[in-house]
């Protein structure tokens, strides 16, 4: 069967050649209509979910990757053309991964210039005294994503606090959120399942976070960046090959191929979950050690760090007690041995 | 057939870290037709350009889910995916979306 080289016209404007097929709607549209539809949909999400208020200082979690670069670009543009009145900043986390993060940070520095947004970089080394390179050397390629994820979460909050930001935005897209819903089902993590598909999270924590790309397909983000020739960095983290998320991602991608709408449908399912009132849920408190939000006595970052340090002074994590006095408490508290749990079953 | 192939989104790492390849694809006539299709091209690419980890680029006959394909800057979904026929001097772009954002 021969594919014909006929020219298809854009189904929206019928003036220009169609350049892509939108997974969400299967519409065949031209670039210009695509830009407009893409940007306008994000604008509608922002407005209808009341993500921001005028005057908000908004930190954009920027890694130099495709999602955060497009997010910075689009948010700047919408802020301008729709006059949101936001003060936008780029916030980057340096986990200390040689050959991966140092390269992507260069991209963020370029973005800073290209989009004219002030940039703040926070590093694991400054905050915790450890780089991911050092952590992986110690614990290997198992559980390392757990460390990084926990540390990054706090690092973003610290950075946002430094910037006196009112909100934090991240570039998590529809594919990411669908993966997370699946992951939480597979792990039986009810607490997370009930929260993970919200467009705004952490309103009762240090800083609310929102995901304007919640309903935006990854394919469209990449196409947008490609056609607009946006500068981004694209390599998989060298320490991530065993991450459990990889399996969920593979599955989601296969699903998308069969029925692209499935991604949005999974998110909808995630939103519609109702947890029985008789189910016991972890209660939210604060970490005894650093004051960070936590459902246990110590927040996970403190527990992990303690496992790493065993007695070294903690750097930059709130008001740290003298390390030596803590030592006995560590053992009795049961600062969990970092080797004892399989990736994905650590409870936090 | 002279073609320009581009690899992005990390795929270039599979072909000697080279993003742009100007190639001359020799193909066999299939079923009496003398047109090269994307299906034929993919097979050629896997054999001739992909130097490592072919499973990152292809799954079965087609590209791995998560790899976007553009022929002359047009989504190949519009032209029949694997059945898209190619012509002299065409530009084919492969972009992987499978990495952090």
């Amino acid at each position: 069967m021969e594919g014909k080289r006929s020219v298809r016209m854009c189904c929206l404007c019928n003036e220009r050649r169609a350049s892509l097929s939108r997974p969400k709607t299967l519409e065949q549209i031209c670039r210009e209509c695509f830009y407009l539809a893409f940007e306008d949909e994000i604008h509608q999400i922002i407005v209808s979910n009341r993500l921001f208020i005028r005057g908000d200082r908004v930190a954009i979690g920027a890694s130099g990757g495709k999602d955060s670069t497009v997010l910075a670009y689009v948010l700047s543009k919408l802020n301008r053309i729709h006059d949101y009145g936001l003060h936008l900043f780029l916030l980057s986390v340096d986990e200390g991964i040689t050959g991966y993060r140092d390269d992507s940070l260069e991209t963020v520095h370029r973005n800073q210039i290209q989009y004219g947004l002030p940039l703040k970089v926070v590093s694991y080394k400054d905050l915790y005294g450890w780089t991911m390179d050092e952590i992986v050397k110690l614990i290997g390629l198992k559980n390392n994503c757990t460390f990084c994820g926990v540390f990054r979460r706090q690092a973003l909050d610290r950075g946002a606090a430094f910037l006196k930001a009112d909100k934090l935005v991240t570039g998590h897209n529809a594919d990411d959120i669908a993966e997370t819903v699946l992951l939480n089902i597979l792990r039986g993590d009810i607490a997370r399942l009930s929260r993970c598909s919200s467009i705004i999270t952490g309103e009762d924590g240090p800083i609310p976070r929102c995901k304007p790309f919640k309903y935006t397909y990854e394919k469209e983000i990449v196409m947008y960046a490609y056609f607009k020739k946006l500068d981004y960095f694209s390599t998989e983290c060298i320490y991530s090959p065993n991450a459990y998320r990889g399996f969920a991602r593979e599955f989601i991608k296969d699903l998308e191929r069969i029925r692209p709408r499935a991604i949005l449908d999974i998110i909808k399912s995630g939103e519609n979950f109702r947890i029985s009132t008789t189910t016991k849920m972890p209660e939210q408190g604060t970490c005894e050690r650093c004051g960070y939000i936590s459902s246990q006595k110590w927040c996970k970052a403190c527990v992990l760090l303690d496992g790493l340090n065993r007695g070294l002074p903690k750097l930059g994590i709130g008001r740290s007690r003298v390390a030596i006095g803590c030592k006995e408490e560590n053992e009795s508290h049961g600062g969990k041995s970092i080797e004892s749990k399989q990736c994905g079953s650590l409870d936090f | 057939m002279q073609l320009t192939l581009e690899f992005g989104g990390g795929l270039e790492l599979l072909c000697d870290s080279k993003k742009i390849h100007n190639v001359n694809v020799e193909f066999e006539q299939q079923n009496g037709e003398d047109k090269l299709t994307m299906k034929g091209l993919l097979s050629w690419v896997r054999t001739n350009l992909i130097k490592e980890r072919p499973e990152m680029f292809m799954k079965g006959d087609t590209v791995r889910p998560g790899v976007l394909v553009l022929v002359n800057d047009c989504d190949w979904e519009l032209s029949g995916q694997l059945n898209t026929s190619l012509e002299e001097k065409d530009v084919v772009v492969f972009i992987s979306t499978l990495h952090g954002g």
Side-chain angles (χ1 to χ4, degrees), chain A residues 195-323:
Chain A
R195 297 191 301 257
C196 70
S197 41
S198 305
I199 196 168
I200 305 178
T201 50
E203 280 159 303
D204 41 4
I207 180 158
R209 295 166 176 235
C210 35
K211 305 178 168 75
F213 283 170
K214 178 182 169 188
Y215 301 102
T216 311
Y217 277 66
E218 191 168 57
K219 170 180 171 178
E220 298 202 349
I221 292 176
V222 174
M223 290 297 225
Y224 187 88
Y226 174 74
F227 287 138
K228 289 244 175 195
K229 301 200 189 320
L230 299 182
D231 182 10
Y232 69 86
F233 181 74
S234 55
T235 308
E236 196 64 78
C237 176
I238 52 182
Y239 294 140
S240 71
N242 298 332
Y244 194 49
R245 181 174 286 268
F247 298 104
R249 181 186 293 168
E250 190 82 25
F251 183 69
I252 294 281
K253 284 294 158 193
D254 283 335
L255 266 183
E256 186 189 13
R257 183 161 271 191
I258 302 171
R259 190 167 79 81
R261 190 93 200 155
I263 292 181
L264 288 183
D265 293 342
I266 291 179
I267 297 177
K268 186 108 183 103
S269 298
E271 288 166 347
N272 287 343
F273 275 115
R274 294 286 176 270
I275 314 294
S276 154
T277 45
T278 54
T279 305
K280 184 167 190 306
M281 299 280 263
E283 270 173 35
Q284 203 163 272
T286 47
C287 173
E288 279 183 4
R289 220 190 221 191
C290 72
Y292 193 67
I293 196 173
S294 169
S295 62
Q296 311 291 326
K297 240 167 132 200
W298 283 5
C299 74
K300 201 57 177 182
C302 283
V303 171
L304 295 177
L305 258 188
D306 185 62
L308 288 174
N309 288 334
R310 287 281 179 249
L312 291 178
K314 316 296 182 282
L315 301 173
I317 304 206
R319 298 179 313 149
S320 42
R321 298 183 214 159
V322 173

Side-chain angles (χ1 to χ4, degrees), chain B residues 3 14 19 25 27 30-31 53 56 59 61 66 78 81-83 94:
Chain B
L3 298 169
L14 307 177
K19 282 198 167 162
V25 177
F27 58 101
Q30 286 159 8
N31 306 323
R53 295 177 291 158
M56 303 294 251
K59 190 167 170 175
D61 269 348
L78 299 179
Q81 287 198 32
L82 286 174
N83 292 326
F94 300 98

Side-chain angles (χ1 to χ4, degrees), chain A residues 40-53 56 84 167 169 177 197-201 203 208-216 267 271:
Chain A
D40 194 56
E41 274 166 23
I42 312 270
H43 169 62
Q44 294 307 328
I45 303 270
I46 290 175
V47 166
S48 63
N49 288 283
R50 287 192 267 270
L51 297 186
F52 309 119
I53 52 180
D56 265 348
Y84 293 160
K167 310 238 163 71
V169 297
I177 299 193
S197 41
S198 305
I199 196 168
I200 305 178
T201 50
E203 280 159 303
R209 295 166 176 235
C210 35
K211 305 178 168 75
F213 283 170
K214 178 182 169 188
Y215 301 102
T216 311
I267 297 177
E271 288 166 347

